Amino acid sequence: MTAEVHLQHIQKTFGGFKASNDVNLTIEKGRIIGLLGPSGSGKTTILRMIAGLETPDSGDIYIGGQRVNDIEPGKRGIGFVFQNYALFRYMTVRENIAFGLTIQKTPKKKIKERVDALTELVGLKDFGHRYPMQLSGGQRQRVAFARALAPEPELLLLDEPFAAIDAKVRKELRGWLRKAIHKLGITSIFVTHDQDEAVEVADDIVIVNRGHIEQTGTPVEIYQQPRTPFVADFIGEAVHVPDFTIFKGFENGRASGAHEGIIRPEFLEIGADDSEMRMPLASEDGTVRGVYFRGNSAEVDVEVKGQLLKGTRSLEKPPLHEGDTAKVFIHRIYSFAGGKTEILENRAKQIDSVII
Amino acid sequence: MQKEKGALGWALIGIAALFLLVMLVLPLVLVASEALAKGWQTYLRAITEPFAVKALYLTLEATVLAVISNTVFGLASAFLLTKFSFRGKSLIGSMIDLPFAISPVVAGLFFIMLFGRMSPLYPFLRAEHITIVFAVPGIILATVFVTFPFITRELVPVMEAQGRDEEEAAATFGASGWQIFRYVTLPNIKWALVYGVILCTARAMGEFGAVSVVSGHVRGKTNTLPLHIEILYNEYNFTAAFAVASILVILAVLILVLRNLAEGRAKRGESHDG
Ligand SMILES: Nc1ncnc2c1ncn2[C@@H]1O[C@H](COP(=O)(O)OP(=O)(O)O)[C@@H](O)[C@H]1O
Ligand SMILES: [Mg+2]
């Protein structure tokens, strides 16, 4: 069994501080949802209210069609993986995993079977009699996961499940967790402040900002069609430009009001000279202000018309150096003119395609 | 510290050793030698004398009751202070420290005021034939009062450091309040609790000031060991005074040994390699 989740008009304040401000959310059965937002934006609060560890001031929470506001955490059919795992330190791995079933007075034999299956699933068969202190971060995380799954919850809630794990293991675990959850088909909500993690693990991303949900969508939607300035800014690396009409190809943006926009590194093409550019005439002249090695590419800071932009450059091309002149072509800009988010393509590209 | 100890190092060690010698070892030796000054016979007679035995029983009675009630109170108050947030929490936290701040003599006077002749409660107590001051209940109350912060103070830092995550985790599995306490909280604080109980016991056995005020010094009735020692001493019966004092010293050493065991276990319990 797996359940869908609805949150309706959730408000929650902590001593005057609005941790949740009209949160509305619908989560379909069997999906993995990533609650993504900056630290302090209220993600954990949302998760804890779904679990029943925190009570909303107003609004309704439904799990599997049932209103659960007045139902205690243990009866909501949820499994919760805490940020620091909160494993029972005086219980072994097996005792930790068995805890939920023991509380439910499941017969001993069934408990043993289930614990066997789960230690197998999380690859800790040989660690059953260890205590949490004797495990690595990644192993603890998997124990917490197994423990939460043991009573067969309909909804799995995970708070920053990878935050306390070192970078290399984290990457492995992400893939592992995504596969494990999909195999079980259990609806899952996880909290993260790391967009790579959200993109990699989640089917749908929910962007949280100041206790409010800014946008919900698949990772591709969130990246390609950010609906609010916050999302455009928060997702990917973004450079704000106060007036994008100064750039070639975007001169006649919208007629009235401010012309604030956001340019991402992947929107820029940076060349050493005209010969490297597909559309030299439509390119801007710039000056290189910094070059940073990023492993598989170089990050280039380039100044165009007094505005510092960030782009990337392949390591296969001749390297640029600080102070060099460069050519810059801007493919597109997110515009927030008139309070509406819009993606503007460089006009030169449209004309180009007409000519050919 | 692999470095050679310099002159300063040796000087510090010397000072510490001298201090320990004068403040701890000499008094202990003195107690032992004074107690045995007139031979084993006199010593045994002094400590088996009925008033001394009565005093020992009363001390143990007050200690056991104080430890029991303070264990219950300590667990409840530490649980309240660390696992819940509510108004007036810091006030309660400071109130619990009151017996540390207040002189035991004042605490004793406080019980006299509350239950003695001057008290508005007195007519009622008298009518019901309940005597509290200058009687055993007063001694027990005074002992409970002066020792009640010990267990709370041992538990609060440990419980604070552990947070409420594990309790919340247990709650998500549907554990009841009692089950959470029994299976999660109690094992986590076990050694801190033992440690607190030991400290509380030590303090309860040695309590003099508050007990002295409420006792009325009725020999064979309301005398605890420390009070009995004082009486013997004031009667210039030094041998008997030191003999009885040696009982307290032996109990204290016993407690110290237990304390060290508990501390060791508490440390090892943290890392689970034992
Ligand atoms: N129990 C609490 N008491 C007071 N403030 C809280 C409590 N829980 C959360 N907050 C506040 O609510 C805000 C959102 O917290 P949280 O949901 O933990 O954010 P996130 O998980 O997105 O980092 C933070 O500013 C935090 O300080
Ligand atoms: Mg959080």
Side-chain angles (χ1 to χ4, degrees):
Chain A
M1 261 309 288
T2 180
E4 73 275 6
V5 179
H6 295 286
L7 301 189
Q8 286 176 356
H9 304 297
I10 301 290
Q11 304 277 356
K12 175 74 184 174
T13 53
F14 289 113
F17 179 85
K18 258 195 166 14
S20 289
N21 187 8
D22 194 26
V23 171
N24 293 286
L25 185 59
T26 297
I27 293 165
E28 290 166 36
K29 261 185 202 183
R31 309 272 294 173
I32 305 180
I33 305 300
L35 288 185
L36 174 64
S39 171
S41 57
K43 307 178 295 290
T44 299
T45 304
I46 295 175
L47 207 66
R48 287 173 59 85
M49 286 190 295
I50 298 174
L53 295 170
E54 215 79 68
T55 317
D57 299 341
S58 64
D60 300 309
I61 301 172
Y62 295 88
I63 299 176
Q66 187 192 13
R67 185 174 180 277
V68 295
N69 284 51
D70 306 315
I71 295 180
E72 44 189 281
K75 302 228 160 69
R76 294 190 180 193
I78 53 121
F80 201 106
V81 177
F82 288 79
Q83 182 159 6
N84 296 307
Y85 315 134
L87 296 176
F88 305 126
R89 73 192 79 190
Y90 284 104
M91 295 184 201
T92 62
V93 168
R94 291 188 69 91
E95 286 166 349
N96 263 282
I97 297 174
F99 187 82
L101 299 171
T102 312
I103 292 294
Q104 290 177 0
K105 300 208 163 58
T106 310
K108 282 239 160 59
K109 194 164 152 282
K110 274 197 88 177
I111 295 184
K112 190 185 170 301
E113 282 168 17
R114 183 96 182 111
V115 173
D116 283 342
L118 282 166
T119 44
E120 177 89 58
L121 172 77
V122 299
L124 289 171
K125 232 177 163 45
D126 301 331
F127 294 83
H129 296 287
R130 291 225 190 160
Y131 287 90
M133 291 281 179
Q134 301 167 320
L135 300 176
S136 72
Q139 291 169 332
R140 283 181 208 173
Q141 205 260 1
R142 284 179 281 157
V143 176
F145 181 70
R147 181 180 69 172
L149 287 177
E152 305 188 32
E154 297 173 1
L155 174 64
L156 187 62
L157 306 168
L158 309 100
D159 193 358
E160 308 261 3
F162 310 102
I165 298 171
D166 49 275
K168 191 162 179 302
V169 183
R170 198 183 309 167
K171 258 198 130 38
E172 279 170 31
L173 268 181
R174 279 181 197 161
W176 176 84
L177 189 73
R178 184 179 160 84
K179 265 197 227 118
I181 293 178
H182 269 156
K183 203 162 94 187
L184 297 164
I186 182 174
T187 313
S188 305
I189 307 174
F190 73 98
V191 159
T192 180
H193 63 269
D194 179 340
Q195 42 175 306
D196 292 342
E197 194 167 296
V199 167
E200 201 168 317
V201 181
D203 297 326
D204 292 309
I205 294 180
V206 174
I207 306 279
V208 185
N209 178 32
R210 296 196 195 174
H212 194 73
I213 288 174
E214 295 267 341
Q215 187 173 352
T216 307
T218 63
V220 174
E221 281 167 6
I222 298 272
Y223 261 88
Q224 297 191 338
Q225 295 145 37
R227 279 207 300 270
T228 68
F230 175 82
V231 177
D233 200 6
F234 183 69
I235 291 290
E237 209 174 338
V239 172
H240 273 268
V241 290
D243 181 5
F244 58 76
T245 55
I246 60 172
F247 297 118
K248 281 186 189 169
F250 300 94
E251 294 88 344
N252 51 357
R254 305 180 122 262
S256 62
H259 291 114
E260 200 193 338
I262 280 179
I263 302 180
R264 288 206 185 140
E266 58 267 33
F267 297 172
L268 287 194
E269 194 176 319
I270 300 174
D273 51 40
D274 281 349
S275 69
E276 275 190 26
M277 307 304 285
R278 269 182 295 162
M279 282 176 274
L281 287 181
S283 299
E284 298 274 4
D285 288 311
T287 313
V288 177
R289 290 294 177 216
V291 181
Y292 311 95
F293 179 63
R294 284 287 178 262
N296 45 12
S297 66
E299 184 183 316
V300 182
D301 289 355
V302 59
E303 191 181 317
V304 177
K305 292 184 170 154
Q307 175 74 48
L308 197 68
L309 303 177
K310 281 179 189 300
T312 55
R313 184 171 164 82
S314 163
L315 295 173
E316 303 300 326
K317 292 185 182 170
L320 291 172
H321 302 282
E322 206 175 316
D324 288 354
T325 55
K327 286 299 214 178
V328 178
F329 181 78
I330 303 171
H331 284 275
R332 67 187 70 82
I333 291 178
Y334 286 142
S335 148
F336 302 119
K340 236 181 78 183
T341 341
E342 213 177 337
I343 301 163
L344 303 177
E345 294 287 339
N346 193 316
R347 223 157 29 86
K349 285 167 79 177
Q350 300 158 12
I351 294 164
D352 215 32
S353 56
V354 170
I355 291 171
I356 292 169
Chain B
M1 297 299 265
Q2 301 289 344
K3 263 174 50 178
E4 280 291 309
K5 296 183 194 71
L8 181 68
W10 285 113
L12 286 176
I13 290 173
I15 291 172
L18 193 70
F19 188 82
L20 279 178
L21 189 73
V22 173
M23 300 301 291
L24 281 172
V25 180
L26 276 184
L28 283 179
V29 170
L30 219 67
V31 167
S33 73
E34 280 291 326
L36 296 170
K38 293 185 184 154
W40 281 101
Q41 299 292 320
T42 329
Y43 177 77
L44 285 179
R45 215 175 311 128
I47 61 170
T48 51
E49 181 245 353
F51 287 147
V53 173
K54 265 296 235 210
L56 174 63
Y57 280 149
L58 183 55
T59 292
L60 291 181
E61 185 186 346
T63 301
V64 167
L65 287 175
V67 166
I68 290 173
S69 68
N70 285 339
T71 301
V72 173
F73 172 79
L75 281 171
S77 60
F79 204 66
L80 194 69
L81 286 175
T82 54
K83 312 276 162 166
F84 296 91
S85 338
F86 54 91
R87 260 162 199 265
K89 181 164 145 171
S90 60
L91 186 71
I92 291 189
S94 337
M95 295 261 293
I96 286 172
D97 283 339
L98 203 63
F100 279 163
I102 242 174
S103 157
V105 175
V106 177
L109 286 174
F110 163 76
F111 281 109
I112 302 263
M113 298 290 275
L114 191 62
F115 299 115
R117 277 170 199 281
M118 292 153 283
S119 161
L121 295 174
Y122 189 70
F124 166 77
L125 292 173
R126 208 180 132 92
E128 299 288 324
H129 299 287
I130 300 171
T131 37
I132 291 177
V133 295
F134 307 134
V136 174
I139 288 173
I140 290 165
L141 275 179
T143 310
V144 169
F145 180 84
V146 292
T147 57
F148 86 61
F150 281 94
I151 292 176
T152 313
R153 282 293 149 230
E154 277 306 313
L155 293 181
V156 164
V158 173
M159 290 168 83
E160 208 130 71
Q162 290 176 347
R164 28 183 147 166
D165 281 9
E166 287 180 49
E167 278 83 3
E168 284 183 344
T172 65
F173 292 110
S176 66
W178 167 249
Q179 285 173 322
I180 293 175
F181 178 74
R182 171 74 189 75
Y183 296 120
V184 179
T185 309
L186 195 57
N188 285 354
I189 59 170
K190 188 168 50 186
W191 292 110
L193 181 64
V194 169
Y195 194 67
V197 165
I198 289 170
L199 285 182
C200 181
T201 309
R203 183 75 176 81
M205 285 195 321
E207 173 51 23
F208 180 82
V211 167
S212 172
V213 174
V214 297
S215 132
H217 301 273
V218 185
R219 257 202 226 201
K221 268 208 162 135
T222 62
N223 260 355
T224 60
L225 276 182
L227 299 183
H228 189 62
I229 294 167
E230 195 212 12
I231 290 177
L232 291 171
Y233 183 83
N234 286 342
E235 289 170 349
Y236 303 104
N237 194 350
F238 295 132
T239 309
F242 280 107
V244 177
S246 74
I247 302 177
L248 275 183
V249 170
I250 289 166
L251 288 174
V253 169
L254 212 69
I255 285 168
L256 274 182
V257 170
L258 284 178
R259 195 200 86 131
N260 275 344
L261 284 179
E263 208 171 39
R265 286 303 295 265
K267 287 213 183 90
R268 247 178 304 138
E270 293 286 285
S271 58
H272 269 297
D273 10 71

